[in-house]
């Protein structure tokens, strides 16, 4: 009798555990991070890829949306030739799974499309279907990185306003810092909700990075009354360009080089932060749609 009671107690306990895990898994929400910059050519694409790979190698499930329609984007760096992109999904020609490109270390890449604003014109049924498809990814992923283009186009603005977190890349150059300030100003004017963090790339030494970050933080504090966090510094390192020539990311081609070590440090900082109430991929796309459906101002 006593044995039976004990068995029942154990079964109940294991069931409880199962349910707890299920709840945890259902609640687990993917963090959406947009990597952006004011000035072009400051290293967004390389860093978005480097950070994604650092997290993927640490065991996280990571996807990267290649939303930069410029020349040297993620597919070029990795030597990929995607046949389909998001536009095919919006037109109902392909499913998201069909357009995903497998990258190194289990990383998955979504080829973007310059016609992302098509989202606003989808009929409600197609949109609901797309959102359902997207929400299935929410539990399959820990991070979605978005490599945006430079500057403040409507498309970039849509991405940085919809993301949970924004990584703003700049170099210590005065022109890059000025453009970074311009982007923060617009982000603030549109009441961006995501946490904004600064990465200073191509620094000669940490001191230079620190000074540049302080300069920008001071102006942002003084004129916008905003605190801006610094995620870290990445040194100027020729292995970044050398890896691109080999159609690889520096993170994998030169894992022990200074740029890679600094990237790992930033990735682990990002990983340690619990994420500020992420709304998941579905929340991100819903906000994108709402933005594109709204009138430009
Ligand atoms: N830490 C670094 N050290 C040395 N070179 C770097 C570093 N980061 C990026 N680069 C180089 O700077 C150039 C621009 O990098 P990348 O394409 O990543 O910038 P981007 O901001 O994405 O540019 P765009 O605005 O055109 O999208 C590339 O040639 C890249 O190899
Ligand atoms: Mg780029």
């Amino acid at each position: 009798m006593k044995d039976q009671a004990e068995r029942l107690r154990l079964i109940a306990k294991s069931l409880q555990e199962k349910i707890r895990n299920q709840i945890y898994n259902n609640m687990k929400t993917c963090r959406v991070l947009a990597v952006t910059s004011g000035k072009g050519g400051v290293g967004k694409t390389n860093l978005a890829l480097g950070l994604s790979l650092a997290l993927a190698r640490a065991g996280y499930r990571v996807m990267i949306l290649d939303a930069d329609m410029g020349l040297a984007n993620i597919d070029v760096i990795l030597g990929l030739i995607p046949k389909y992109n998001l536009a095919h999904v919006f037109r109902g020609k392909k499913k998201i799974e069909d357009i995903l490109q497998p990258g190194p270390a289990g990383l998955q890449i979504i080829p973007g499309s310059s016609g992302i604003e098509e989202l606003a014109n989808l009929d409600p049924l197609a949109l609901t279907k797309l959102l359902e498809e997207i929400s299935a990814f929410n539990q399959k992923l820990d991070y979605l990185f978005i490599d945006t283009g430079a500057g403040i186009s409507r498309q970039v603005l849509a991405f940085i306003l919809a993301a949970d977190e924004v990584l703003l890349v700049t170099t210590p150059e005065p022109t890059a810092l000025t453009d970074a300030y311009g982007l923060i100003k617009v982000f603030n004017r549109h009441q961006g909700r995501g946490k904004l963090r600064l990465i200073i790339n191509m620094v000669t030494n940490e001191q230079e990075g620190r000074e540049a970050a302080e300069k920008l933080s001071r102006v942002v504090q003084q004129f916008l009354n905003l605190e801006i966090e610094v995620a870290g510094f990445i040194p100027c390192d020729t292995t970044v360009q050398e890896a691109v020539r080999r159609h690889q990311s520096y993170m994998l081609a030169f894992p022990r080089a200074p740029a890679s070590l600094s990237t790992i440090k930033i990735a682990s900082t990002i990983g340690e932060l619990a994420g500020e109430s992420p709304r998941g991929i579905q929340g991100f796309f819903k906000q994108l749609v709402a933005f594109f459906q709204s009138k430009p101002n």
Side-chain angles (χ1 to χ4, degrees):
M1 204 50 198
K2 200 169 162 228
D3 274 351
Q4 174 117 1
E6 177 68 4
R7 245 202 332 270
L8 279 174
R9 206 179 58 77
L10 282 177
I11 291 171
K13 196 172 164 214
S14 96
L15 254 181
Q16 264 173 1
E17 212 128 49
K18 255 192 201 145
I19 292 167
R20 244 203 312 273
N21 284 343
Q22 251 164 18
I23 292 173
Y24 173 73
N25 285 337
N26 287 341
M27 279 183 354
K28 201 164 160 30
T29 299
C30 172
R31 283 166 69 183
V32 180
L33 289 102
V35 181
T36 196
S37 73
K39 190 169 181 283
V42 294
K44 289 178 295 301
T45 303
N46 276 282
L47 292 191
L49 195 54
L51 288 168
S52 299
L53 285 169
L55 288 164
R57 286 182 64 181
Y60 289 103
R61 300 160 304 171
V62 189
M63 202 183 256
I64 182 161
L65 168 59
D66 187 354
D68 175 7
M69 298 306 130
L71 289 174
N73 45 8
I74 287 161
D75 54 358
V76 177
I77 294 184
L78 294 180
L80 302 170
I81 308 171
K83 234 166 117 183
Y84 304 108
N85 59 44
L86 267 186
H88 295 92
V89 176
F90 298 157
R91 289 173 203 150
K93 302 263 189 280
K94 293 280 159 203
K95 291 204 163 302
I96 296 185
E97 270 126 60
D98 303 328
I99 68 162
L100 290 180
Q101 297 272 308
L107 180 70
Q108 300 191 78
I109 296 127
I110 314 180
S113 137
S114 50
I116 198 125
E117 302 201 17
E118 281 181 43
L119 260 177
N121 307 324
L122 289 185
D123 69 73
L125 192 68
L127 190 59
T128 310
K129 258 181 66 190
L130 180 65
L131 286 175
E132 267 171 22
E133 210 189 314
I134 284 165
S135 64
F137 280 96
N138 210 35
Q139 275 133 52
K140 291 189 211 157
L141 286 178
D142 298 306
Y143 292 97
L144 172 66
F145 276 83
I146 298 154
D147 176 26
T148 77
I152 316 159
S153 66
R154 192 162 149 78
Q155 199 184 97
V156 170
L157 188 58
F159 284 127
I160 63 175
L161 293 179
D164 295 312
E165 294 157 63
V166 178
L167 293 172
L168 175 58
V169 184
T170 178
T171 65
E173 267 180 52
T175 47
L177 290 174
T178 307
D179 291 354
Y181 174 75
L183 191 129
I184 299 171
K185 203 164 131 187
V186 174
F187 180 78
N188 193 39
R189 195 170 68 224
H190 284 82
Q191 292 160 347
R193 57 170 279 287
K195 181 94 195 160
L196 201 66
R197 294 196 180 86
L198 204 61
I199 298 182
I200 317 274
N201 188 21
M202 302 194 222
V203 300
T204 336
N205 52 49
E206 194 155 321
Q207 171 74 7
E208 188 192 31
R210 222 170 276 288
E211 279 170 15
E214 268 164 25
K215 217 187 284 175
L216 185 54
S217 302
R218 227 181 359 253
V219 184
V220 168
Q221 170 67 261
Q222 189 179 346
F223 293 103
L224 306 176
N225 195 21
L226 210 77
E227 292 288 341
I228 176 162
E229 245 179 61
V230 181
F233 315 107
I234 311 259
C236 195
D237 181 344
T238 52
T239 63
V240 178
Q241 291 139 30
E242 178 52 34
V244 174
R245 274 193 284 275
R246 297 187 194 176
H247 287 301
Q248 279 183 33
S249 165
Y250 62 94
M251 265 302 298
L252 299 182
F254 304 99
R256 277 179 241 293
S260 295
L261 296 179
S262 302
T263 304
I264 294 170
K265 202 166 150 197
I266 296 179
S268 73
T269 312
I270 292 171
E272 275 162 21
L273 304 161
E276 288 82 8
S277 53
R279 293 170 308 173
I281 303 188
Q282 205 179 1
F284 169 76
F285 266 90
K286 272 190 185 156
Q287 176 147 352
L288 265 192
V289 175
F291 180 89
F292 288 134
Q293 285 174 340
S294 68
K295 283 202 185 74
N297 62 351

